[in-house]
Amino acid sequence: MRLPTIPDLGELSGRRVLLRADLNVPLHGGEVSDDSRIREVVPTIRMLCEAGAGVTVCSHLGRPRGRPEAAFDMAPVRRRLGELAPDVELLENLRFDPGEEAGDPALAERLVAGHDLFVNDAFGACHRAHASIVGPPRLLPSAAGLLVLVEAAEILSLRRSPRRPFVVVLGGAKVADKLGVVEAVCAMADAVLVGGAMCFTFLAAAGHHIGDSLFDPDRLEDCRALLDGDLPLHLPEDLVGLGPGGRIGDPRAGGAVRQFGSDLPDGWLGADIGPGTAAFFADTIADAGTVFWNGPLGAFEDPRFAAGTNTVAEALAETRAHTVVGGGDSGAALVSLGLGGSVSHHSTGGGASLELLERGDLPGLIALRESAERLSLPTHEIDQRD
Ligand code: ADP
Ligand code: MG
């Protein structure tokens, strides 16, 4: 894939750059509790500033509904950014304006006012055709930032030339969000290992009893079609269930915890993959050439149901395979085990990395390429890593 890069923008000295970043960080008690997304964009800011550009940063934060909300004020992010990259301005939360999520060109016009160039380094938002992602490239000479280049190259190389066996591990909550990805990775991977709440719609489609587990009746037919397809799809063969009266996240509410095969009795909720499945997933990861992991394999925030996710995280840390992790919750699981630094690439964008893996392109990247074409700016091949 070719993208315009910052050097393709030419002379930067004295130019005013609008930088779209993804500074959607977790906040606790009015402070940034994990500043990784801020730190990840600092190299791009530094590159622009050292070349003599003036930089205005913009980002969304949380999910305000198109109007200002104190809980999503940028002030804590601005404080942390100021420590890491002094001398840059940070605009107010983009999602305080309903035009952001609606993709309103008028908001893009207001954002670019007073700027000469646009840089998109918000990989985690590139799968959304929001105003600040697709609008500015129609108005200004535009380029991908350093983080977008690294993130996109990582995922594209998985699509193009993964070292085999290529193993994809998918978990997390909603099957509807990830069915397209399951289908796409089944065509490229040697094994697709499915756990998390999303496995229960598949298990139900395969004719198993899933008790009171989360599942999506609207996707039953789609799951059945995938299971009929002779694909490298692996479902759990054992499960950990939470019995009647129990509540996930609340051990004191009671409720028995027990292991089962692939069927759960009525009143029981599947909350984790079982130890046999976890061992099979870990062995498959150990023998892999490349692993992509998105989504916890169980309700891991509750220690009673963290074992499957922990086993997979440890296998990922130990394997000699090239390992790529996307997804806020899978990343949090790795970090909580002290394994954050042990994977080859940890994506800042869960949704964006999944969609790029599925489709091979993203609205934010398309907008940058079209911008370069329209203005006849040079571009660079970005996915040449082997
Ligand atoms: P990610 O952020 O890594 O992409 P998701 O947001 O899709 O992952 O899903 C994460 C959530 O899924 C976690 O909060 C986890 O508790 C929940 N989850 C995983 N497995 C189960 C399960 N079997 N039952 C209920 N919730 C689950
Ligand atoms: Mg999540």
Side-chain angles (χ1 to χ4, degrees):
M1 176 187 290
R2 299 188 70 88
L3 284 177
T5 66
I6 292 173
D8 295 323
L9 293 173
E11 181 57 48
L12 291 171
S13 180
R15 316 294 305 274
R16 290 156 307 170
V17 177
L18 176 68
L19 174 66
R20 175 56 159 105
D22 178 2
L23 306 182
N24 183 26
V25 292
L27 300 174
H28 279 115
E31 287 302 324
V32 175
S33 58
D34 175 358
D35 66 358
S36 351
R37 279 185 166 163
I38 307 180
R39 282 186 282 108
E40 298 265 17
V41 78
V42 168
T44 296
I45 296 178
R46 205 166 276 152
M47 181 181 189
L48 294 168
C49 290
E50 281 171 5
V55 179
T56 309
V57 184
C58 62
S59 175
H60 70 286
L61 177 65
R63 295 182 178 275
R65 308 205 166 166
R67 55 186 151 71
E69 269 181 67
F72 300 114
D73 192 280
M74 277 290 181
V77 180
R78 191 172 291 117
R79 275 198 295 279
R80 187 69 188 117
L81 181 65
E83 289 161 9
L84 294 165
D87 307 323
V88 300
E89 190 191 342
L90 174 61
L91 300 182
E92 195 39 275
N93 194 337
L94 290 166
R95 289 192 186 167
F96 284 178
D97 189 321
E100 168 64 355
E101 291 184 77
D104 183 1
L107 173 57
E109 298 262 5
R110 289 199 294 281
L111 287 170
V112 303
H115 297 92
D116 306 305
L117 303 167
F118 175 67
V119 172
N120 180 353
D121 212 14
F123 179 73
C126 278
H127 59 314
R128 311 215 185 270
H130 290 174
S132 66
I133 298 289
V134 297
R138 299 188 179 124
L139 303 166
L140 294 179
S142 299
L146 300 171
L147 179 63
V148 162
L149 293 179
V150 169
E151 295 259 32
E154 272 292 344
I155 301 295
L156 292 172
S157 85
L158 295 185
R159 284 178 57 93
R160 205 177 42 115
S161 54
R163 186 143 52 93
R164 295 194 179 270
F166 178 23
V167 175
V168 175
V169 188
L170 292 174
K174 287 193 229 120
V175 75
D177 291 353
K178 296 184 186 171
L179 265 183
V181 179
V182 173
E183 191 174 357
V185 297
C186 276
M188 31 178 133
D190 302 291
V192 179
L193 313 177
V194 178
M198 65 182 278
C199 76
F200 295 103
T201 307
F202 280 104
L203 286 171
H208 291 288
H209 292 279
I210 58 164
D212 286 5
S213 308
L214 292 180
F215 98 119
D216 186 345
D218 295 340
R219 303 298 161 145
L220 217 49
E221 278 312 313
D222 294 331
C223 288
R224 203 168 280 141
L226 283 172
L227 291 172
D228 285 344
D230 191 27
L231 300 170
L233 200 56
H234 298 271
L235 299 178
E237 294 191 347
D238 62 346
L239 297 162
V240 178
L242 173 61
R247 273 203 303 271
I248 287 178
D250 185 7
R252 278 182 299 180
V257 174
R258 240 198 71 186
Q259 290 172 20
F260 294 91
S262 327
D263 293 274
L264 293 163
D266 288 340
W268 287 73
L269 182 151
D272 195 7
I273 56 173
T277 300
F280 168 68
F281 284 13
D283 288 348
T284 308
I285 290 167
D287 294 337
T290 308
V291 187
F292 176 85
W293 176 33
N294 174 287
L297 286 312
F300 77 106
E301 300 92 337
D302 183 327
R304 296 175 294 174
F305 309 113
T309 301
N310 290 352
T311 300
V312 162
E314 279 157 13
L316 226 77
E318 278 166 25
T319 181
R320 293 170 62 188
H322 183 77
T323 48
V324 180
V325 176
D329 293 298
S330 355
L334 268 179
V335 170
S336 75
L337 291 168
L339 301 174
S342 61
V343 292
S344 316
H345 179 71
H346 185 171
S347 175
T348 56
S353 60
L354 284 174
E355 203 169 312
L356 186 55
L357 189 60
E358 179 184 345
R359 301 180 205 277
D361 215 338
L362 296 174
L365 306 181
I366 293 170
L368 292 174
R369 274 203 310 278
E370 288 179 352
S371 176
E373 270 164 37
R374 203 169 37 243
L375 300 170
S376 304
L377 280 181
T379 56
H380 274 90
E381 186 58 48
I382 65 157
D383 53 341
Q384 278 172 339
R385 192 184 60 81
D386 277 308

